Amino acid sequence: MQSPHPPHPPFPSRPGSPSGESDHTLAARLGGPPAGRHDAVALLLARHWRATFDYAVVCLAAAGPSARLVTSAAFQQVLGRPASGAAGGALRPRLLAAVRDTVRAWAADEAACVVLPELRKPTGGRGLRATAPRTPERRRLAERAFQTLPAASQCLLWHTEVEAESINIPAGLLGVDTATAAIALRRARAEFRAGCLRAHRELAPSAECRFYNRLLDDPIREGGARLPDVRRHLTACSHCRHAAEQLSRFEGGLGVLIAESVLGWGARRYLDSRPGRAAREEPRAHARRPAATIGRHGTAPPGGRRTTLAVGVGLASLGLLATVLVAMGRPDDNGVPHPAATLGAPAGRLEGPAATGTRPRAVPSNVSPAGESLRSAYGRLRDRPTGSCPEVRGAGVQGGAGVRERPGTIVLATCRCRAHSAFARISADSVRAPGSSGSQSVSTR
């Protein structure tokens, strides 16, 4: 039994067959010797069976033996007559149109409906039979223009715009190289557009419609606005309004225009079934998706996770630093910071060197003249130019009428600090020596 899903045709063609044979050449060989005919039939089935079967499923609204029977009948109708096998336009659109006509004819036959119940589905054969066989008015110009194109131009437009395949696929079906096919594709688009304008002019119901022929397409090409007279005419004339809508498809959506003008019934569903269009839409969907939802299981991509992790680590480090600063600078029960505190010391007033060269003497800035308790933390500050650190000397407790603290003197001495905080550097306020206009900068070590 023949498989309903044959492999997609490889290019170049299979071994044993001349490389680069076009559909036209293979169809012409169907009336020749049996050996060449069988080989040609096998290649044509491999190239077009799957797409024809998919459209049969669309027309019947069912996948199964009935769809395979319709597909086989379409191939027999198009390729069974040698005279029509090599002429009449591109092969893929003709096969699909034969599927549509076959389903419509079988759905009108009561005996066929008894054998194939799928033909009675409202969304399948029954609905297809109820529709008018002719092309809708809004697609009549495109249908007329497409039918007047050469078979090679039809093949290029159908496989690139409708099937959304790469240029090498229609190039293989035509037996030409990709560079030649790309040039021919640009020419085919121009011919198709000119054919739509010519069909509009030939089918125009009045001289006024023929007068506005070029004025319909020029604003679409140039991206400008239509003249007020043209806009008023479009509101009253359906022929010109449909022509303007079809011409606008050349700027985007040309595959929809071609499929609807050639197939009519089920054109949109056939477009959705094409693998090339699904592969083309997937990157666009990813581009439209928010960055936070891209990635496996709807999570952020690895780069986003690394950024989020780095930000979280930074915030956690800041929080830990703030906790350490608060804990180390907290006073004990007597209101005096613990001697082990080495951070957060407020700057005192540092006495600068006098003219006699004596060592500067610093007075804590938080000691009031009334002799309030010393609440200054012992910080580790460093003078960068000299490499010295401040040290408190002479602090103690005074006796007498009342016990009170005796403030010490902050002096610059050789730094004996071995431990430094790894979390932050504290910039101390500049302290100025009494009687001098300059100031000495002290920084954290």
Side-chain angles (χ1 to χ4, degrees), residues 148-172:
T148 58
L149 290 175
S153 299
Q154 291 181 5
C155 179
L156 289 167
L157 288 174
W158 186 271
H159 286 274
T160 56
E161 299 294 342
V162 178
E163 306 288 342
E165 295 171 335
S166 58
I167 191 64
N168 68 301
I169 300 298

Side-chain angles (χ1 to χ4, degrees), residues 24 102 108 129 153 157 164 168 199 210 222 227 230 252 304 362 372-373 404 412 424 438:
H24 179 85
T102 300
R129 176 191 173 188
S153 299
L157 288 174
N168 68 301
R210 289 189 291 271
E222 301 173 1
L227 297 174
V230 179
E372 296 179 357
S373 299
R404 59 178 180 176
L412 291 176

Side-chain angles (χ1 to χ4, degrees), residues 5 11 13 20 25 35 62 89 96 133 139 155 191 205-206 225 233 246 259 270 336 354 374 380 396 427-428:
H5 305 294
F11 294 100
S13 55
T25 303
L96 300 181
R139 291 292 178 259
C155 179
E191 291 176 355
S206 64
H233 178 74
Q246 293 173 79
Y270 177 75
V336 180
L374 176 65
R380 286 297 183 186
S427 298

Side-chain angles (χ1 to χ4, degrees), residues 338-363:
H338 196 275
T342 59
L343 297 174
R349 286 178 289 121
L350 184 64
E351 293 182 0
T356 58
T358 61
R359 184 182 296 272
R361 183 175 59 88
V363 180

Side-chain angles (χ1 to χ4, degrees), residues 118-132:
E118 294 86 351
L119 294 172
R120 292 176 174 174
K121 286 189 174 182
T123 57
R126 182 180 173 185
L128 179 57
R129 176 191 173 188
T131 59

Side-chain angles (χ1 to χ4, degrees), residues 26 30 36-47 75 79:
L26 293 174
L30 295 177
R37 182 170 63 251
H38 295 162
D39 191 20
V41 169
L43 282 174
L44 291 174
L45 286 173
R47 290 178 176 182
F75 271 91
L79 302 178

